[in-house]
Amino acid sequence: MYSYVARQPILDSSLQTHAYELLFRDSLENVFPSISSRQATSRLVVEQFLQQNIDQLLGGRPCFINFPHDALLEGLAECLPPRQVVIEILEDALPDDALLAKVQELHQLGYRLALDDFTMSSAWERFLPWIHIIKFDLRLSPLPQIASFIQRHRHLRLTYLAEKVESKQEFEQTQALGISLFQGFFFSRPEMVKRATMQPAQMVVIQLLNEVNQCEPNLVRIEQLLGQDVSLSLKLLRYVNNLKGRSKPISSFRQAAIYLGHTQLRRFVTLVATSGAGQGKSAELYQMSLIRARFCELLALAHASTAQSQQAFIVGLFSLLDVLMEQPMVTLLGSVPITDEIRRALLAREGKLGFYLTFCEDYEAANWPRVAMHTARLGLNEEKVSQLYLSATAWVNEQINAMDQA
């Protein structure tokens, strides 16, 4: 499967790219699809920030993302890293007390906020001390009105952006008013970007929703469910990275769940659920990822500690990400807060974790001389290794059957 997004540059006065606005699309047709703005924002967040390495799309620049009123109040914006995102409050948002409180909260958290298609209504005046950027639609707001607004609000530290700039004359006129950011067809039309993506299994998401909405979530059960779906696992780790930064690498899914806490974990699962789940790219590849995860875990349990086995499971689960996502592994792991041991195992097959993955790959390829060498290193025999692999396969079949029957 693929995700689609339109990326339109936002330029500064020197016509250098300052940022991008990201616009949700569901095909290569560069038009907004027939879905709600709430669902469009949810899917954009999941597909571009949790599924992908967003740095690859932005090139180190910030991005502007549209947020409708209800999505802001539900906390969707807090799923994103403040340093990379400008929160655009849509023009049809209701400027009520609840939205003002959320704007103040986001400002305190370090987010930059923009008012999209600003109509200069007095209802927004009380919001302005917490707003960073005002976007004027040149098709809706006459230049004299824009000039008057800027003059009246010189005491505020506002940045102004002119959108729908369609000629050199409009660019020069708005620049003369003190506007410093520009966007429109005169510079560039939105550019379509197509990227491979994965969708989580719907039943796993439903089961997770049930678990995280309990008064006392069962972390063991949550960890089991996260381990059943490589798409969810990758999204979870990127979510942790967006929310917490790279302050602490993750070595197990339970650790990630504890790190987030009940509220943020529930927000993550709800976000994934509401963004819409579909069919994965390849059921066979997903199943192989699960077998690898369980086999690596069992090899580690036969050879090392429980903590090592948890990391071995992640290594096996993520070992086919590059095939599923059609991107180099080093790129995919760029924004995933995993431990150095897991990273080295996936990228270079180094360390004990790399050994377990190599063992798994050689077993799949029926490279029996190397399997015999690996078996001797672990102090096992061929019959035991065969039992472990059959056990891993049976475990995956049990997970699949349980989902089918749920």
Side-chain angles (χ1 to χ4, degrees):
M1 293 186 67
Y2 294 91
S3 66
Y4 303 88
V5 64
R7 183 184 70 173
Q8 186 172 31
I10 294 171
L11 308 180
D12 60 21
S13 296
S14 301
L15 299 185
Q16 299 298 309
T17 301
H18 169 78
Y20 293 101
E21 179 166 7
L22 298 185
L23 305 165
F24 176 75
R25 300 291 186 263
D26 63 358
S27 71
L28 283 174
E29 189 176 0
N30 197 355
V31 296
F32 188 81
S34 297
I35 61 174
S36 69
S37 56
R38 171 66 175 81
Q39 188 179 8
T41 301
S42 296
R43 287 186 59 181
L44 190 150
V45 168
V46 170
E47 293 174 7
Q48 303 307 323
F49 282 85
L50 303 187
Q51 188 73 67
Q52 307 281 358
N53 183 349
I54 193 64
D55 292 330
Q56 190 179 27
L57 183 64
L58 301 178
R61 298 178 179 88
C63 65
F64 287 58
I65 297 179
N66 293 324
F67 280 82
H69 184 276
D70 55 347
L72 283 169
L73 296 189
E74 291 165 11
L76 182 57
E78 288 97 308
C79 299
L80 300 174
R83 61 182 176 83
Q84 288 183 308
V85 175
V86 176
I87 305 299
E88 282 196 50
I89 303 172
L90 287 179
E91 64 278 6
D92 57 359
L94 183 65
D96 55 14
D97 292 342
L99 183 60
L100 178 60
K102 175 57 68 173
V103 164
Q104 292 169 336
E105 178 186 350
L106 290 170
H107 187 279
Q108 283 291 108
L109 291 172
Y111 287 93
R112 288 164 289 178
L113 297 130
L115 294 179
D116 190 30
D117 293 347
F118 188 59
T119 59
M120 293 171 271
S121 167
S122 60
W124 290 101
E125 284 290 328
R126 60 179 180 153
F127 285 77
L128 296 184
W130 292 276
I131 298 297
H132 301 83
I133 299 167
I134 299 287
K135 296 185 71 174
F136 292 115
D137 184 334
L138 298 190
R139 310 275 74 83
L140 298 176
S141 300
L143 291 180
Q145 289 185 16
I146 295 174
S148 176
F149 180 89
I150 294 174
Q151 181 68 19
R152 294 196 314 272
H153 293 85
R154 286 177 299 170
H155 61 289
L156 295 176
R157 299 180 63 181
L158 291 167
T159 297
Y160 297 102
L161 186 156
E163 55 181 337
K164 297 187 181 174
V165 180
E166 297 184 359
S167 69
K168 181 180 179 181
Q169 181 183 20
E170 287 183 339
F171 167 62
E172 292 174 343
Q173 288 174 330
T174 52
Q175 191 177 31
L177 296 180
I179 292 177
S180 58
L181 295 176
F182 308 88
Q183 181 180 5
F185 290 173
F186 173 64
F187 310 106
S188 175
R189 291 178 179 270
E191 167 198 9
M192 286 299 303
V193 179
K194 171 186 174 183
R195 305 205 282 180
T197 189
M198 299 181 294
Q199 295 292 345
Q202 181 68 22
M203 187 52 63
V204 174
V205 175
I206 292 172
Q207 290 172 317
L208 269 173
L209 271 174
N210 179 60
E211 290 295 337
V212 299
N213 281 290
Q214 302 297 321
C215 294
E216 295 293 335
N218 185 334
L219 289 178
V220 173
R221 177 58 177 156
I222 289 172
E223 183 179 31
Q224 291 172 343
L225 289 169
L226 289 169
Q228 291 177 22
D229 195 293
V230 62
S231 171
L232 274 173
S233 304
L234 180 65
K235 288 181 172 71
L236 174 71
L237 293 182
R238 283 225 168 93
Y239 185 83
V240 170
N241 189 59
N242 288 346
L243 197 68
K244 304 290 187 180
R246 299 175 183 271
S247 58
K248 187 176 181 181
I250 299 298
S251 60
S252 71
F253 298 130
R254 190 185 309 185
Q255 183 186 5
I258 294 172
Y259 195 46
L260 284 176
H262 189 186
T263 299
Q264 287 294 348
L265 183 62
R266 183 167 54 203
R267 180 174 289 169
F268 162 76
V269 176
T270 303
L271 171 61
V272 173
T274 57
S275 70
Q279 298 299 314
K281 176 182 177 180
S282 168
E284 185 176 348
L285 284 176
Y286 277 99
Q287 187 168 336
M288 186 181 296
S289 297
L290 284 170
I291 292 173
R292 284 188 175 190
R294 182 60 173 165
F295 187 50
C296 286
E297 180 183 34
L298 292 175
L299 289 173
L301 283 171
H303 184 235
S305 66
T306 302
Q308 188 88 72
S309 69
Q310 293 171 349
Q311 295 185 63
F313 185 93
I314 295 176
V315 167
L317 188 67
F318 284 0
S319 62
L320 291 170
L321 275 182
D322 51 348
V323 181
L324 285 161
M325 300 290 289
E326 300 177 9
Q327 296 181 47
M329 184 69 78
V330 66
T331 301
L332 291 167
L333 298 182
S335 59
V336 179
I338 50 177
T339 63
D340 288 340
E341 291 85 354
I342 295 175
R343 192 178 303 275
R344 287 191 292 110
L346 289 168
L347 295 178
R349 304 301 190 264
E350 293 178 353
K352 286 184 180 179
L353 298 178
F355 168 73
Y356 300 139
L357 180 54
T358 299
F359 195 150
C360 183
E361 291 170 331
D362 287 336
Y363 196 92
E364 289 172 351
N367 190 335
W368 304 125
R370 285 181 59 84
V371 168
M373 182 176 64
H374 300 325
T375 300
R377 177 176 168 179
L378 288 182
L380 303 175
N381 56 53
E382 293 183 9
E383 182 181 358
K384 178 62 174 178
V385 171
S386 177
Q387 289 175 353
L388 292 179
Y389 193 82
L390 289 174
S391 176
T393 304
W395 178 83
V396 171
N397 289 334
E398 288 173 6
Q399 309 308 311
I400 295 172
N401 290 336
M403 285 189 288
D404 290 341
Q405 294 169 11

